[in-house]
Amino acid sequence: MTRSLEELAVELFDAGAVRLGDIEAKLGRHTPIYFDLRVIVSHPRMMNAVSQHLLNLSSGIEHDILCGVPYAALPFAAVMSVTGGTPMIMKRKETKLYATKKILEGVYEQNQKCLVVEDVVTSGGSLLETVTTLRSEGLRVNDAVVVLDREQGGVGVLKANGVQVRSIFTMTDLVNILRSADRISDETVEIVSDHIKECQFGLQEAIERIFSKENEVLEEKQEL
Ligand SMILES: O=C(O)c1cc(=O)[nH]c(=O)n1[C@@H]1O[C@H](COP(=O)(O)O)[C@@H](O)[C@H]1O
């Protein structure tokens, strides 16, 4: 049976997937709330529940193949693939420098429609980076399903790049559910809501992120 969103949010909180405080996130950004889905591999029933919600979101989206954004979303894409019977490919974080030298693992054909699976969208940079690679390999990418939209501009950036995002939770949903279940205080809800309003990202940040990642990969290759 599919867990309700409320039950799922509370279970995720109780499993330690929601961290509060002054937390350093990706690229040195600071946030008063961090959603860490990496703990979920230790909770198979929750893994199944999140994947089932992602599968529900994906129904009605035409796609031939799935791809999870490395690493946190890979387990969800794998469970969705096995449960729904849709083949999956995997994107490496960096191009393999020996043997096949591939950036994508698995079998795919040009012009296949690929649905991308991601854990969290903040600026949209990580997802856009994966979409850019998939498109450069000849796949068509128009849609993504994600667990949490932090409502900080990433979904708009992706839309501007031709990717429609559907999410299980928005940050507003998540904090409201956790407040109703008495897991967080009114003060925390207010701090998170102010943070979301103050820390908005645009296309520029997402593009800069892709270029900084490309430079990192180039530097890694030069060091070898
Ligand atoms: O760094 C983040 O913004 C972030 C916040 C959060 O609550 N949870 C979280 O997992 N992240 C990481 O940030 C990535 C998304 O950030 P963007 O690439 O800016 O969209 C995710 O793939 C995570 O690696």
Side-chain angles (χ1 to χ4, degrees), residues 100-179:
T100 53
K101 297 192 175 160
K102 282 178 171 175
I103 185 84
L104 298 180
E105 302 286 359
V107 179
Y108 58 95
E109 285 165 24
Q110 297 283 302
N111 291 320
Q112 275 189 315
K113 283 193 174 162
C114 182
L115 174 67
V116 183
V117 183
E118 170 67 306
D119 59 343
V120 176
V121 171
T122 305
S123 70
S126 315
L127 214 156
L128 194 54
E129 191 186 314
T130 294
V131 169
T132 306
T133 304
L134 294 168
R135 285 179 175 162
S136 71
E137 293 291 310
L139 289 158
R140 286 194 281 159
V141 188
N142 302 321
D143 298 279
V145 289
V146 312
V147 181
L148 176 69
D149 165 16
R150 290 184 50 113
E151 300 174 299
Q152 288 179 257
V155 167
V157 166
L158 289 155
K159 194 172 176 196
N161 282 277
V163 184
Q164 300 292 327
V165 177
R166 296 183 185 183
S167 65
I168 299 180
F169 300 108
T170 61
M171 186 58 97
T172 308
D173 297 336
L174 186 68
V175 292
N176 286 341
I177 293 170
L178 295 177
R179 178 66 202 106

Side-chain angles (χ1 to χ4, degrees), residues 17 24-27 29 31 33-38 69-73 93 118-129 148 150 152 154 158 171 201 206 209:
E24 186 170 342
K26 212 161 210 169
L27 307 175
R29 302 186 294 229
T31 172
I33 186 164
Y34 191 89
F35 193 54
D36 186 5
L37 272 166
R38 289 158 194 84
V69 178
Y71 293 104
K93 275 224 171 198
E118 170 67 306
D119 59 343
V120 176
V121 171
T122 305
S123 70
S126 315
L127 214 156
L128 194 54
E129 191 186 314
L148 176 69
R150 290 184 50 113
Q152 288 179 257
L158 289 155
M171 186 58 97
F201 298 94
R209 187 183 140 66

